[in-house]
Amino acid sequence: MSTGVSYNDQGGAEAAVEAGQESTPTSSSTGAAFGLFSADFKKMSSVLRNEDLKEMLESNKESLKLEAMKRIVGLIAKGKSASELFPAVVKNVASKNIELKKLVYVYLVRYAEKQQDLALLSISTFQRALKDPNQFIRASALRVLSSIRVPIIVPIMMLAIKEAAADLSPYVRKTSAHAIQKLYSLDPDQKEQLIEVIEKLLKDKSTLVAGSVVMAFEEVCPDRIDLIHKNYRKLCNLLVDVEEWGQVVIISMLTRYARTQFTSPWTEGAEFDENKAFYDSDSEEKKDQTEAKPYIMDPDHRLLLRNTKPLLQSRNTAVVMAVAQLYWHLAPKHEVSIVTKSLVRLLRSHREVQYIVLQNIATMSIQRKGMFEPFIKSFYVRSTDATHIKTLKLEILTNLANEANISTILREFQTYVKSQDKAFAAATIQAIGRCATNISEVTDTCLNGLVLLLSNRDETVVAESIVVIKKLLQTQPTQHGDIIKHMAKLFDNVTVPMARASILWLMGEYCEKVPKIAPDVLRKMAKTFTAEEDIVKLQTVNLAAKLYLTNSKQTKLLTQYILNLGKYDQNYDIRDRTRFIRQLIVPNEKSGALSKYARRILLAPKPAPGLESAFKDRDRYQLGTLSHSLNLKATGYQELPDWPAVAPDQSVRNVEIVEPLRESAPIVGKTKQPKSDKFYSDDEDEKEEEGSDSSGSGSEDSSSSSEESGSESEEESSEDSEKTSSDSGKSSSGSEKSSSESESDQKKKKKTKKAPQKKSKPAGDSDSDENGNGPVGQASSSSSESSSDSESDSESDSPAPKKKTEEKAKPKVAVNSKKEVSLLDLDDFSPAPTNAPKPSVLSQSLLSDLEGLSLSNISSTVQVTTSSFGPLKTYELLHHMTGKGLSAKYHFPRQPCLYQPSMVAVQVILTNSSDHALEEIHIGDQSPASLNIHCFNTIERLEPGASVTVSMGIDFSDSTQAANFQLCTKEDQFSVSIQPAVGELLMASTMTEQDFCKEQGKLQGMNEASATITMATANASRQAINKQVLSVANVGEVPSSQNNFSRFAGQTVSSRALVLVSLELSESSGALLTINTEKSVMASMLLQDLKQALAQA
């Protein structure tokens, strides 16, 4: 131990000496001495250190050798040379100590190239180590051998790799896969032999080897797709158990493979084969129609999607990102959204991870906004975010902006503009400009907000606002003369060159709209011309030329003065521009024919610039790659192939599998207990006694799963999983089992009533069966369907999950056998009233209870009331000709929805105009997928000529976007849509006049929309005004002390945002209509509807 201590002391002294350059010397004499003797001292200490290490390596004690090797590796890690110790280290390569041998191997890998002759002397030792009984020694020897980059030993390396590829240890085989890449980089001529080894290793069933051999495949022969065919299904099934690094490599390779072997699932109007198993009558009818062939997904394509889906829960962000890009490039469009939550989860990670994930989300959000709209709050900027993270979140928020959420996003942007981060504030203003360009309803609102920012103290904000306003004004310049005048007044205070140039461009482009101001601006610029930046000088010359052409009397001398200044400017661009402009606008003998067209050249109408996303063109690169992140093609990037028009032969992936003795297990009985499907033998016997119900459902389940999966092994595994789950759910005692069965038989009637409603979404069931999860895995089902399922489950209270599976698997049988009706459904079966239903369906006591349940954040001064006037305007939902005898009409009763406070109540009148009864009328698929609809209960039978009124609840999320869904009967499906008027998205409220004015004061600026209208003579009285306003919107009247004022208040149903309407009558027939609300899109739409209603008699 004394040797170790002395060496540590010496190393510490040496470290202190080496650090002397950076530390402050205690005195000048010490520093001088250090400078004089430091080189000699270092050399001497290095020699002494190496001598000590050599002595330790030549010692007979293993502990000293091990300590010496640790210090040598430590020196290498610090960047210090230890090449002089090579002979002493090589002597220990044959040591029996595994830890010592590993350190020796690490050293040899580092210095083998520098000391090739000595390294070659130890080749025989490595070859002997390749036969070592210890798998780690064999792997380490191969790793070192492949790291010695000496071309002369390539044949030895190739032989070692081939032997290691056949090793019994998967760890050694994994190392051989790593060695393939090293040998290929050393000698590419060995490619053919290496491909043979890769082909052999691809057949390996070990999860340890899979990732490494696929990496070798990607490096050596990525174009040899034929090597993957036979191993495709094995790789898909092994994927979950491979290490994380290997999962990323395999997923990337399989993404490219799938794009070459399967047809595109994105075909327009494609129908998936899952629906065909459930609607046999529909498929028979459609045979006669000449339609496009429905898309049928290849079972291997589905296998890849199904086996990668669990990896979205991985702790490794690279794996999650790899699965996300796979779904983005391979999955049908309606399935891509399942990656959304996983990507949003990654935003809680480090900022480096956030940056990459946000870049990919920004690209995704351009094409499919609906994926990330429900998680829009996850992209709100935090104060702790870095600038590049903030900018990306801003980009995504701008991409996700639409009429429904623009109000919320603009409120966020108002906060961001005040940020201390100047670059972020400038980016926010550009984002506001993009929103104004993309969403025409808020263009005026955004312009007004940007004009207010012109009075900001921060120059950066003002400059960026001017640049954005300039671009927006180009879209509609005729309406904004006042804004141009306002910017001209601010010109003296603006110092940023780009902003000054933008104002000058606006003055010149629209000089005819500001004939008095533009010459004055030119006069000011003439004074400061020589001190301006080059970009400002160029715009000044342009302004002078345009004013000379339009107003030469006032500006002729000014223009000549500025052209003379530009003629002698230091910048040659300005000198050239000045000469060109002079010849163009001042005609003389030398000027050619071009001067005749000066006005058409300089004053030509310019197209408005398009404000586009910076991520618009990045989708040409594969998501998650370096090329996508940099937006340029990086070295080694492989293009993602296009989908083939016709799928190649899928039989190339078939592999002959020797069936195990699993099929004979039922014959043997209880004697073979080790078999997995005979584990619970008692339950197995009880299951055989269950009768025809279980066998019928089992056959139907197996037929549907075999149609979708296309492989018997998958079918068996899915049946086994169902069998195991049902077995585990059963009680071990026979008495408990019999009681549960009797209880479930008694309650079978309630289940049969609910069965048709579960049938209304067959695609979800088929997907879940296909995934092998039974009826549990309905990820794509809508919220309304899940709520109805939960109701039926709570009613039945059956303890056996197997019964639920049987009832769900055969809904038609249940409906035919049982016709009982529960009391809960009597309202759906009652005959429709002859007259239209009245709006006052709910009692006042019930309304007061509903008001108490409201979870609004509005102050207590606002109270929900029923509308005093309810116009029963009925809309047609389905014509009886289109609906094959079934007609449907709907209206908005303007009453609080019983199902959820955020839903709008809709009453639908269904009428059977045919000569035969219609059965099983229910709601089918819904669009968009995020739409929340409370469906009416299934109507079992509607006689000819009969009508029935049913109630629905729809959460429109304060948007006038239509709710699209399918109205289904037993035989047909009809696509229908309910389009709400903006006034029906409100609920009437009341408040005092004082509270109205107080709330109105809070909603100014961008939250206000107003217009001057000409009232019809018939609408002059207060009663007529109230009637017209209430016919358009569900608002409540607010008492007013002024005769010329009418005020109305309401709240949006979904978000409970206040909507205040005020009408001020003038002495003439004119009136000022003002709407105050946070929902700026709703305000502009409501303003148009009210203007139209009040202007017509």
PDB file of all heavy atoms in Angstrom, residues 257 364 651 721 805 903 1057:
ATOM      1  N   TYR A 257     -38.839  -0.448 -44.762  1.00  0.00           N
ATOM      2  CA  TYR A 257     -39.275  -1.711 -45.354  1.00  0.00           C
ATOM      3  C   TYR A 257     -40.766  -1.665 -45.685  1.00  0.00           C
ATOM      4  O   TYR A 257     -41.195  -2.073 -46.771  1.00  0.00           O
ATOM      5  CB  TYR A 257     -38.981  -2.856 -44.374  1.00  0.00           C
ATOM      6  CG  TYR A 257     -39.451  -4.210 -44.853  1.00  0.00           C
ATOM      7  CD1 TYR A 257     -38.660  -4.985 -45.697  1.00  0.00           C
ATOM      8  CD2 TYR A 257     -40.689  -4.712 -44.478  1.00  0.00           C
ATOM      9  CE1 TYR A 257     -39.088  -6.225 -46.141  1.00  0.00           C
ATOM     10  CE2 TYR A 257     -41.135  -5.954 -44.920  1.00  0.00           C
ATOM     11  CZ  TYR A 257     -40.338  -6.708 -45.746  1.00  0.00           C
ATOM     12  OH  TYR A 257     -40.767  -7.925 -46.200  1.00  0.00           O
ATOM     13  N   MET A 364     -45.892  18.122 -37.838  1.00  0.00           N
ATOM     14  CA  MET A 364     -47.158  17.382 -37.834  1.00  0.00           C
ATOM     15  C   MET A 364     -48.360  18.318 -37.795  1.00  0.00           C
ATOM     16  O   MET A 364     -49.372  18.092 -38.470  1.00  0.00           O
ATOM     17  CB  MET A 364     -47.210  16.447 -36.617  1.00  0.00           C
ATOM     18  CG  MET A 364     -46.231  15.297 -36.642  1.00  0.00           C
ATOM     19  SD  MET A 364     -46.378  14.333 -35.124  1.00  0.00           S
ATOM     20  CE  MET A 364     -45.319  12.953 -35.456  1.00  0.00           C
ATOM     21  N   SER A 651     -46.346 -13.430 -49.973  1.00  0.00           N
ATOM     22  CA  SER A 651     -45.949 -14.787 -49.586  1.00  0.00           C
ATOM     23  C   SER A 651     -44.451 -14.887 -49.301  1.00  0.00           C
ATOM     24  O   SER A 651     -44.000 -15.871 -48.709  1.00  0.00           O
ATOM     25  CB  SER A 651     -46.330 -15.778 -50.688  1.00  0.00           C
ATOM     26  OG  SER A 651     -45.632 -15.476 -51.881  1.00  0.00           O
ATOM     27  N   SER A 721     -55.510 -15.566 -24.646  1.00  0.00           N
ATOM     28  CA  SER A 721     -55.534 -14.423 -23.726  1.00  0.00           C
ATOM     29  C   SER A 721     -56.931 -14.198 -23.189  1.00  0.00           C
ATOM     30  O   SER A 721     -57.128 -13.884 -22.018  1.00  0.00           O
ATOM     31  CB  SER A 721     -55.024 -13.163 -24.423  1.00  0.00           C
ATOM     32  OG  SER A 721     -55.884 -12.831 -25.494  1.00  0.00           O
ATOM     33  N   THR A 805     -68.355 -10.283 -22.811  1.00  0.00           N
ATOM     34  CA  THR A 805     -67.724 -10.511 -24.106  1.00  0.00           C
ATOM     35  C   THR A 805     -68.691 -11.225 -25.045  1.00  0.00           C
ATOM     36  O   THR A 805     -68.805 -10.891 -26.215  1.00  0.00           O
ATOM     37  CB  THR A 805     -66.452 -11.347 -23.932  1.00  0.00           C
ATOM     38  OG1 THR A 805     -65.651 -10.750 -22.924  1.00  0.00           O
ATOM     39  CG2 THR A 805     -65.675 -11.439 -25.231  1.00  0.00           C
ATOM     40  N   MET A 903     -72.945  21.156 -22.968  1.00  0.00           N
ATOM     41  CA  MET A 903     -73.563  20.711 -24.213  1.00  0.00           C
ATOM     42  C   MET A 903     -74.740  21.609 -24.586  1.00  0.00           C
ATOM     43  O   MET A 903     -75.419  22.183 -23.723  1.00  0.00           O
ATOM     44  CB  MET A 903     -74.047  19.260 -24.084  1.00  0.00           C
ATOM     45  CG  MET A 903     -72.944  18.223 -24.091  1.00  0.00           C
ATOM     46  SD  MET A 903     -73.620  16.550 -24.079  1.00  0.00           S
ATOM     47  CE  MET A 903     -72.122  15.595 -24.331  1.00  0.00           C
ATOM     48  N   ALA A1057     -68.071  31.923 -21.407  1.00  0.00           N
ATOM     49  CA  ALA A1057     -67.520  33.253 -21.636  1.00  0.00           C
ATOM     50  C   ALA A1057     -68.670  34.245 -21.825  1.00  0.00           C
ATOM     51  O   ALA A1057     -69.659  33.953 -22.498  1.00  0.00           O
ATOM     52  CB  ALA A1057     -66.632  33.255 -22.881  1.00  0.00           C
TER      53      ALA A1057
END
